[in-house]
Amino acid sequence: MKKSDMRVAIVRMEGTNCEQELQDAFTVLGVDSKFVHIKQLKELTGFHCVVIPGGFSAGDYVRAGAIFASLIKTKIFKELKEFIKEGYPVLGICNGFQILVEMGFLPGKGRGRACLAPNDSGVYECRPTLVRNENRGKCVFTNKLKRKEIRMMPCAHAEGKIILEEPKKMLSQLKADDQIVFRWVDPDGKLAGYPWNPNGSLDNLAGLCNMEGNVLGLMPHPERSFFRWQHVDWVRKGLSAPGGYNVGDGRAIFESVIECISKKF
Amino acid sequence: MSEVTKELFIKRSPDLMELELPTATEQDLARISRELAIGLSVEEMKKVQRYFMKMRRLPTDVEMEAIGQAWSEHCCYKSSKIWLKKYVYPIQLDKIVAREDAGVMEFNKEYYLVAALESHNHPSAIAPYGGAATGIGGILRDVLCMGAQPVALIDPLFFGGLDWDFEKLPKGVKHPRYLFRRVYEGIRDYGNRVGIPTVAGQICFDDCYLGNPIVNVGCVGVVKKEELIHSYAAKPGEIYILAGGKTGRDGIHGVTFASADLDAGSEQVAQSCVQIGDPITKEPLIHAFRECVTKGLVEGSKDLGGGGLSCASSELAWERGYGAEIDMDNVPLKVAGLKPWEIWVSESQERMMLLIKNENVEEVLKIFESWDISATPIGKVIKDPVIRVLYKNEKVLELDLSFLLGEPTLKRPYETANVIREDNSSFDLPDLNEVLLSVVGSLPVASREKVIRQYDHEVRGKTVIKPLQGKLGFPTHGDAAVVKPLINSNNGIALTSDVNPSFTKLDPWRGTLSAVDEVCRNLVAVGAEPCCLADCLNLGDPTKLKTMGDLVQVCKALKKVASVLELPFISGNVSLYNEGLHGSIAPTPLILGIGRVEDITFCTTTDFKEREDLIYLVGETKKEMGGSLYYKLLNVREGKVPNSDPERLKESVDAVLEANHRKLISAIHDASEGGIAAAVSEMAIGGDLGCVLNLEKMKNLRCDIKLFSESNTRWVVEVKPEKAKEFEEIFEGKGIKTTRLGRVSGKRIRIADRKEIINLPIDLIRKEWNNGLKKWME
């Protein structure tokens, strides 16, 4: 499929607030995207990727993502399951990740339950963070990243601590099935504590994919390091980057999924 | 209601009262004003009495309430208007496109910049969480109603000392530690949800704010020129549509409450005055409203803030000399049983008024419906300059707008306070290593990280210069934040705010000049050209001669400096009756500085970049220690407040910008509280690089004064050795002093003045700096 034929659905509701920068990311890469309010989302035909942006859907007063997830469940659950089964990529960033977990798409069927619990610090954390690519090749959102490569993607959340129902067993399953995508690390690339692990997440988990690799949920915001000038230290380091002038660390996520769609469909 | 006044109130229907005004004595008038809680003086009540005698009828309670709101200090600026009109409004007026709910200026060829600044002081004293949150809600609507997309928020905050003894707090006064926490939590929980980044701010502690914190909030946005919406009706026949939240009992009498002193009883009285914010109504309201704007469906708009429906409907119509007819039955209510006067003046949040052409009403309603946001036609613009309100088929209000909005002004008496500008202090030189550690760990200088990290300062992905800068993992304070609002343009908007109450308290004139000096310093430090200012004048009770004198001084000082710098005031706000535990607060003319960056790739930050780079001081250091952090730490109560020479400031601003345009600046930080010692420390913290400095070239001052003087118009600048000559020449050419102090080096800060006076590892400085405020937040 040509890039110009691709269409991305950016699903939003009241309180979604990271949709504009997400759309900008796709637009810059030449891919058409549409904002779709969950109320108006009746079918997914014609879309090749679904993204659930960050924000505070419905205020997150209940539990992060709970209301958005239940709306999706009553409105379009079957269609979304089918969409995923057909291999189309689905991305949830921050609140979107919380929603994917809430719906059970992550870690996925037969995997036990996960939850995104309140940060250990007890407060919202908006800070530059580093993640290491842990995926061995399954995830369709990271094929442009080298193994163990470190990328800066800022976090901004109050509930991002991944906890698992049966930590030991589930962790080894996730590892074995290549479902771990990102871990929080420090500038030396080591698994470190706060603030490099901004929420106290188990085993420094920052992003997970499903068994098939086409659903990714992550707490850090790749759309907030799409451009180099979104990096906190660009004035020190200049705007030239390995990927080209003004290319930020998060851009590879979008490039990866676009490549995947164009190859697969 | 007391027996005496009872006969003054006549029940016309179950929901409506009339007042027996014609026969009322002065005593009765005072009592009516008090019992309706509309805050009008006897003189003003007499004016109302004369009006209704002329009309040959009795006023309704709805009318009395409407007048009370319209004539409140908060709505009509009666004490400050003449001074603002004389000194502040006319400055560089031709640069202002509009000054309505928010101010509008040119941003670039296609876009306007829109900005607004407000106070939310009184609500935040009583209900800090809700008060601070709704402050953001209100300022966003001000920017939004001009048709603009809000792009950044700024929150300057002032509290009493965090170490104030709990035992010494009178009943009803909340501790600064509690207020501080609840205020930033309110900003966090509303701002983060609504999805507009809080990129800048200020947190100041001074005991003059005990019992009366100052919570100001500013917002900037951008709008395509052809999409600018004005806050007035263009033609009779336009339909009023009320959109957003429903109307309830929250926020009744907010403006009259804001126009009086707080006292121990305020707690009970005021609970109903504080509005309740709902960011999850606001967020889609922004989308829906913007959609109507981009489709060209909106003729005029105003947010519902102080004075509620009454203020918004009347002002929209009157601005161009029209009137309005409103049917209150159509106003969606939160609860049944509200009296008509309550509906008319309620300040419930998240509401906006739109003026829509008849043929577009249906489409607008559809857009709001698609966002699940309530929108209801409630009236229309009429030709006659009268406002008429119907409720259950009964006329409950009919007032001439010239009478209602005739801008009562007061020329209150005032007295200019004496200012001491002497320094006869004499004390031995303290251990300067110890002093530097106290300075960086003190509340004015210490790291704000713990607060800043709780605000989402990056949502929308456009914050290119962040409030915390430096090497990854070594955050330090920046001078200003910069957002790049448009995806296809490298133009940026820089934001900063300042006022130092330690200065304004001693010397309102110089304190005001200093505030403008500092915002300009901050803006050029990131590479932005100052383009306008906004002022939020927070002062005490205007019936006090000194408060009024301070207000006049502040306005005069603003005129002096802003005229020279050619900076108009895009927006402003006056908040009076700020009386704390120790009487009037220090005059607090909070200055918001907005700068324009032509190309954000030229922006600079404060962190040291590279070893062996040279370090310069730009500007002159004087023994101006009044209100300085150094003297406060040493308990020296003397000295003159730093002066600012606007001409020199302008020259310096131009020179720094020229150096920026020629890419000669590696790092830059303005010298303010804690002097160059604090500035250098923060630069070292962010770069994780130390320095070696020698102060001998700064002549005729004792070394402690060189380190800690807070003289204005100064920056510490890091320059590459190969660019030193070009850098020096720019400043020499304009007659501005630069002093080469030393170079970036190692991991320690080492400063000598003939002999070594400071030698400290950066890690230790960083530790003190990190803990200074944080320790109060645990």
Side-chain angles (χ1 to χ4, degrees):
Chain A
M1 177 184 287
K2 281 190 300 201
K3 271 213 279 194
S4 54
D5 294 333
M6 284 178 206
R7 281 183 83 208
V8 177
I10 299 175
V11 188
R12 64 177 176 182
M13 69 171 293
E14 293 75 13
T16 303
N17 64 27
C18 300
E19 66 265 48
Q20 188 56 57
E21 48 273 44
L22 254 177
Q23 178 162 68
D24 292 347
F26 284 107
T27 308
V28 168
L29 296 174
V31 171
D32 186 31
S33 61
K34 285 273 170 299
F35 293 140
V36 201
H37 196 287
I38 182 66
K39 249 177 63 178
Q40 285 137 10
L41 189 61
K42 302 222 164 59
E43 53 171 17
L44 295 169
T45 323
F47 289 114
H48 309 102
C49 177
V50 167
V51 187
I52 311 175
F56 287 80
S57 50
D60 278 351
Y61 294 111
V62 186
R63 185 173 62 244
I67 290 178
F68 203 148
S70 74
L71 273 173
I72 294 180
K73 275 188 177 169
T74 55
K75 292 240 160 204
I76 196 143
F77 200 44
K78 220 180 83 198
E79 291 81 352
L80 188 57
K81 273 205 250 182
E82 198 57 33
F83 189 81
I84 293 169
K85 218 171 128 192
E86 284 169 26
Y88 287 109
V90 172
L91 173 64
I93 301 169
C94 197
N95 198 216
F97 185 15
Q98 293 158 343
I99 291 158
L100 291 174
V101 169
E102 190 75 24
M103 286 190 294
F105 288 125
L106 292 173
K109 224 177 169 185
R111 278 282 98 121
R113 283 179 303 177
C115 177
L116 289 155
N119 299 346
D120 279 354
S121 65
V123 294
Y124 194 88
E125 296 278 351
C126 176
R127 56 172 69 248
T129 36
L130 299 166
V131 289
R132 193 173 69 191
N133 176 26
E134 303 288 289
N135 206 251
R136 301 192 295 271
K138 179 176 271 183
C139 179
V140 303
F141 291 90
T142 49
N143 50 40
K144 292 254 177 192
L145 293 178
K146 292 193 200 83
R147 194 119 194 263
K148 298 285 174 187
E149 192 179 348
I150 298 164
R151 295 270 173 156
M152 197 292 290
M153 298 181 205
C155 75
H157 60 256
E159 293 164 57
K161 175 184 178 173
I162 299 179
I163 50 173
L164 303 173
E165 195 178 17
E166 295 168 276
K168 250 195 168 155
K169 182 178 146 207
M170 284 174 73
L171 259 182
S172 66
Q173 280 179 339
L174 291 172
K175 266 180 217 170
D177 290 332
D178 198 18
Q179 283 187 259
I180 298 172
V181 182
F182 289 120
R183 279 202 169 92
W184 307 107
V185 291
D186 68 12
D188 299 325
K190 292 202 199 85
L191 300 178
Y194 183 83
W196 298 109
N197 177 351
N199 48 41
S201 198
L202 176 73
D203 209 26
N204 282 45
L205 295 177
L208 299 175
C209 68
N210 63 347
M211 286 275 272
E212 292 70 33
N214 65 328
V215 178
L216 169 67
L218 75 171
M219 284 318 294
H221 288 263
E223 79 282 15
R224 293 190 186 188
S225 58
F226 186 85
F227 299 108
R228 188 54 49 173
W229 56 47
Q230 292 169 312
H231 287 234
V232 68
D233 53 358
W234 72 264
V235 175
R236 298 181 71 80
K237 293 183 166 173
L239 290 169
S240 305
Y245 180 77
N246 196 26
V247 170
D249 278 3
R251 187 179 301 210
I253 302 287
F254 302 95
E255 288 171 340
S256 298
V257 70
I258 289 169
E259 189 185 83
C260 154
I261 299 169
S262 63
K263 279 189 183 158
K264 207 163 167 184
F265 300 99
Chain B
M1 215 175 284
S2 73
E3 284 306 307
V4 193
T5 48
K6 223 169 201 172
E7 64 208 59
L8 294 169
F9 291 80
I10 303 156
K11 209 168 186 143
R12 198 169 95 190
S13 71
D15 297 319
L16 198 66
M17 293 274 200
E18 280 183 337
L19 290 111
E20 187 56 64
L21 218 51
T23 57
T25 63
E26 278 196 12
Q27 219 179 4
D28 293 338
L29 292 174
R31 201 161 272 153
I32 292 171
S33 172
R34 198 168 56 240
E35 300 220 344
L36 291 176
I38 53 176
L40 295 181
S41 69
V42 170
E43 282 312 306
E44 288 162 337
M45 285 297 288
K46 278 186 180 166
K47 206 171 146 191
V48 179
Q49 190 179 37
R50 283 196 297 276
Y51 177 82
F52 283 99
M53 282 166 81
K54 207 175 84 196
M55 293 287 135
R56 295 167 183 277
R57 65 179 177 89
L58 304 182
T60 65
D61 51 357
V62 186
E63 289 171 322
M64 291 306 293
E65 293 284 348
I67 296 166
Q69 304 299 305
W71 293 6
S72 68
E73 190 70 69
H74 184 93
C75 283
C76 75
Y77 292 25
K78 57 191 168 195
S79 304
S80 55
K81 196 111 198 175
I82 54 165
W83 302 108
L84 294 169
K85 271 189 172 163
K86 186 168 178 189
Y87 293 120
V88 179
Y89 294 162
I91 306 165
Q92 296 282 311
L93 196 59
D94 53 337
K95 287 188 186 165
I96 299 287
V97 175
R99 194 150 49 196
E100 297 163 14
D101 275 21
V104 181
M105 272 184 82
E106 173 103 359
F107 178 57
N108 63 18
K109 247 176 156 175
E110 293 162 78
Y111 283 82
Y112 288 131
L113 177 134
V114 179
L117 177 65
E118 257 185 15
S119 60
H120 244 237
N121 303 337
H122 284 63
S124 303
I126 304 296
Y129 183 82
T134 53
I136 298 182
I139 208 73
L140 282 170
R141 288 194 305 276
D142 282 331
V143 168
L144 185 62
C145 78
M146 308 304 291
Q149 168 66 52
V151 297
L153 291 162
I154 178 166
D155 288 286
L157 312 172
F158 302 77
F159 305 96
L162 294 178
D163 56 353
W164 186 258
D165 189 349
F166 274 92
E167 304 294 313
K168 285 199 274 177
L169 276 182
K171 201 172 176 297
V173 175
K174 296 185 169 68
H175 195 279
R177 239 185 283 175
Y178 171 80
L179 288 172
F180 168 46
R181 194 171 129 199
R182 293 303 281 165
V183 164
Y184 78 68
E185 286 176 348
I187 292 166
R188 175 192 70 195
D189 291 352
Y190 193 104
N192 293 1
R193 282 189 167 82
V194 81
I196 307 300
T198 299
V199 300
Q202 186 185 355
I203 309 166
C204 178
F205 302 97
D206 189 299
D207 284 342
C208 75
Y209 303 111
L210 278 166
N212 194 322
I214 297 298
V215 176
N216 291 173
V217 55
C219 179
V220 293
V222 289
V223 61
K224 269 199 186 136
K225 288 184 177 172
E226 63 272 21
E227 289 176 0
L228 178 68
I229 307 292
H230 287 287
S231 313
Y232 52 76
K235 270 197 193 113
E238 289 171 354
I239 306 294
Y240 280 89
I241 292 187
L242 177 62
K246 292 182 175 162
T247 301
R249 276 207 183 87
D250 50 319
I252 286 181
H253 286 153
V255 296
T256 38
F257 161 63
S259 308
D261 295 347
L262 292 172
D263 56 37
S266 296
E267 177 91 7
Q268 267 73 44
V269 182
Q271 284 299 354
S272 68
C273 299
V274 181
Q275 310 84 345
I276 303 158
D278 174 12
I280 301 306
T281 300
K282 173 63 59 52
E283 198 269 340
L285 178 62
I286 296 176
H287 290 303
F289 184 81
R290 288 274 308 144
E291 192 175 332
C292 295
V293 169
T294 50
K295 289 186 172 158
L297 302 170
V298 184
E299 308 306 316
S301 173
K302 209 171 167 60
D303 97 287
L304 271 75
L309 272 173
S310 176
C311 179
S313 331
S314 314
E315 289 186 7
L316 272 169
W318 175 240
E319 184 64 32
R320 289 282 151 115
Y322 299 120
E325 263 173 20
I326 306 286
D327 193 342
M328 259 203 297
D329 295 333
N330 295 338
V331 175
L333 300 180
K334 286 184 183 169
V335 286
L338 260 72
K339 296 233 184 308
W341 74 264
E342 291 178 305
I343 302 172
W344 194 236
V345 298
S346 160
E347 294 174 17
S348 286
Q349 288 292 292
E350 324 308 357
R351 298 181 302 163
M352 295 192 62
M353 190 75 90
L354 286 72
L355 290 170
I356 307 290
K357 279 187 193 151
N358 207 2
E359 62 263 35
N360 292 331
V361 167
E362 209 170 309
E363 195 176 349
V364 166
L365 297 183
K366 250 189 214 148
I367 291 171
F368 279 97
E369 203 202 325
S370 73
W371 280 101
D372 265 344
I373 295 286
S374 138
T376 322
I378 62 159
K380 62 170 191 278
V381 179
I382 58 171
K383 204 162 149 271
D384 300 336
V386 174
I387 181 148
R388 250 176 240 124
V389 181
L390 299 175
Y391 181 73
K392 292 187 179 164
N393 296 321
E394 198 175 9
K395 190 158 60 181
V396 295
L397 176 147
E398 182 170 45
L399 291 168
D400 290 311
L401 285 172
S402 61
F403 167 71
L404 182 66
L405 301 177
E407 297 201 13
T409 51
L410 291 173
K411 189 168 181 184
R412 294 193 189 274
Y414 67 95
E415 211 172 80
T416 309
N418 278 332
V419 171
I420 298 155
R421 290 185 182 147
E422 274 177 26
D423 192 343
N424 299 314
S425 66
S426 93
F427 54 92
D428 293 339
L429 196 64
D431 179 334
L432 294 173
N433 280 320
E434 269 173 35
V435 176
L436 178 62
L437 291 176
S438 321
V439 163
V440 295
S442 70
L443 286 177
V445 175
S447 172
R448 269 62 180 147
E449 180 174 6
K450 180 101 184 170
V451 178
I452 294 170
R453 295 266 183 242
Q454 293 187 49
Y455 297 158
D456 191 346
H457 49 267
E458 294 198 278
V459 62
R460 296 180 54 73
K462 313 251 185 299
T463 314
V464 293
I465 296 293
K466 302 180 204 300
L468 292 167
Q469 312 175 344
K471 192 172 161 181
L472 196 62
F474 300 94
T476 192
H477 290 154
D479 278 323
V482 179
V483 290
K484 179 185 162 306
L486 307 169
I487 188 83
N488 293 321
S489 153
N490 267 7
N491 296 154
I493 302 171
L495 273 186
T496 184
S497 77
D498 184 68
V499 63
N500 182 346
S502 300
F503 289 171
T504 50
K505 194 186 294 179
L506 297 172
D507 191 333
W509 171 263
R510 287 191 172 186
T512 305
L513 296 181
S514 297
V516 176
D517 195 297
E518 176 156 358
V519 299
C520 291
R521 294 195 313 259
N522 289 340
L523 292 175
V524 297
V526 294
E529 186 184 344
C531 71
C532 62
L533 305 170
D535 58 322
C536 194
L537 309 183
N538 308 278
L539 292 106
D541 179 349
T543 61
K544 293 185 182 171
L545 293 175
K546 183 184 173 300
T547 301
M548 270 318 288
D550 289 346
L551 178 65
V552 176
Q553 283 285 89
V554 164
C555 291
K556 282 185 182 170
L558 289 178
K559 178 184 161 67
K560 176 170 170 145
V561 56
S563 310
V564 173
L565 289 159
E566 298 173 13
L567 295 176
F569 284 85
I570 189 167
S571 171
N573 176 251
V574 180
S575 168
L576 301 176
Y577 300 96
N578 291 293
E579 295 285 319
L581 224 53
H582 302 316
S584 301
I585 60 162
T588 310
L590 184 279
I591 304 299
L592 170 66
I594 300 175
R596 191 179 169 284
V597 181
E598 179 59 33
D599 178 351
I600 59 100
T601 64
F602 283 73
C603 283
T604 42
T605 53
T606 56
D607 45 311
F608 280 146
K609 300 296 186 306
E610 202 173 354
R611 285 201 170 83
E612 299 307 318
D613 279 359
L614 301 175
I615 297 168
Y616 282 89
L617 172 65
V618 171
E620 278 177 62
T621 308
K622 294 175 191 152
K623 192 178 178 186
E624 297 172 308
M625 304 303 287
S628 69
L629 176 57
Y630 181 58
Y631 270 23
K632 278 189 283 179
L633 289 174
L634 296 184
N635 254 324
V636 180
R637 294 169 195 281
E638 290 204 47
K640 53 189 172 194
V641 168
N643 201 5
S644 168
D645 174 356
E647 310 277 351
R648 181 163 215 82
L649 173 60
K650 184 163 187 354
E651 291 278 304
S652 306
V653 158
D654 292 345
V656 173
L657 285 175
E658 194 180 333
N660 173 285
H661 295 156
R662 293 208 224 159
K663 296 221 167 208
L664 305 178
I665 296 174
S666 299
I668 177 167
H669 198 4
D670 87 304
S672 55
E673 281 171 295
I676 59 170
V680 165
S681 300
E682 289 189 333
M683 296 172 90
I685 287 168
D688 199 32
L689 286 168
C691 59
V692 179
L693 307 181
N694 189 323
L695 309 184
E696 271 179 69
K697 285 190 214 144
M698 297 168 68
K699 296 217 168 72
N700 303 327
L701 292 170
R702 202 165 82 169
C703 61
D704 55 341
I705 308 298
K706 291 180 183 176
L707 284 173
F708 301 114
S709 164
E710 296 175 20
S711 284
N712 281 307
T713 330
R714 296 183 309 151
W715 295 262
V716 177
V717 187
E718 176 190 347
V719 181
K720 294 234 153 295
E722 64 270 23
K723 292 178 175 172
K725 194 161 165 271
E726 195 181 346
F727 178 81
E728 286 174 20
E729 280 168 4
I730 290 176
F731 290 88
E732 250 169 51
K734 293 186 189 292
I736 294 152
K737 195 169 172 182
T738 57
T739 313
R740 191 189 285 194
L741 297 179
R743 60 195 167 83
V744 179
S745 167
K747 295 272 183 185
R748 300 178 78 85
I749 292 185
R750 294 168 60 189
I751 305 177
D753 191 17
R754 268 176 250 145
K755 62 178 190 346
E756 186 170 85
I757 48 175
I758 304 264
N759 186 347
L760 290 166
I762 313 170
D763 286 345
L764 181 60
I765 293 172
R766 183 185 293 117
K767 196 175 142 218
E768 292 298 313
W769 182 76
N770 272 336
N771 282 329
L773 178 60
K774 206 168 86 182
K775 68 182 177 210
W776 296 102
M777 295 172 66
E778 261 129 35

